[in-house]
Amino acid sequence: MSTRGINFLDRWIGNNLPETAKADTVSISEYTHKLYADAKALGIRREEIDEEVDSLYRTLVDAVVHFDPGLTE
């Protein structure tokens, strides 16, 4: 397990998905590529992220669909 990978993913989603993000295939693919590029720049391997989620695609779609900056957990 990689705490570093899941922490990066959580922070990345919060800092990089705009309020106007779209959940279409092309947009999610672009977000995925940017996420992996940003992770690589910080020395975080793709595997460190992938092992933490069943599907990064589904994780990003869920984040876009459920995005509501006014709510806290």
Side-chain angles (χ1 to χ4, degrees):
M1 291 240 195
S2 171
T3 301
R4 187 169 80 146
I6 196 68
N7 288 342
F8 172 80
L9 178 59
D10 287 339
R11 283 191 312 270
W12 191 92
I13 287 172
N15 293 328
N16 290 278
L17 287 182
E19 289 183 40
T20 57
K22 298 178 182 176
D24 63 272
T25 303
V26 173
S27 295
I28 297 299
S29 176
E30 290 173 358
Y31 300 138
T32 301
H33 288 292
K34 179 164 176 27
L35 182 143
Y36 285 137
D38 291 349
K40 184 177 180 180
L42 294 174
I44 298 171
R45 294 182 342 267
R46 179 181 181 147
E47 293 80 19
E48 290 182 74
I49 297 166
D50 290 343
E51 69 186 13
E52 295 300 322
V53 293
D54 291 330
S55 165
L56 182 58
Y57 179 87
R58 173 53 54 202
T59 300
L60 292 175
V61 168
D62 287 346
V64 169
V65 170
H66 295 108
F67 183 75
D68 188 348
L71 296 177
T72 57
E73 290 186 25

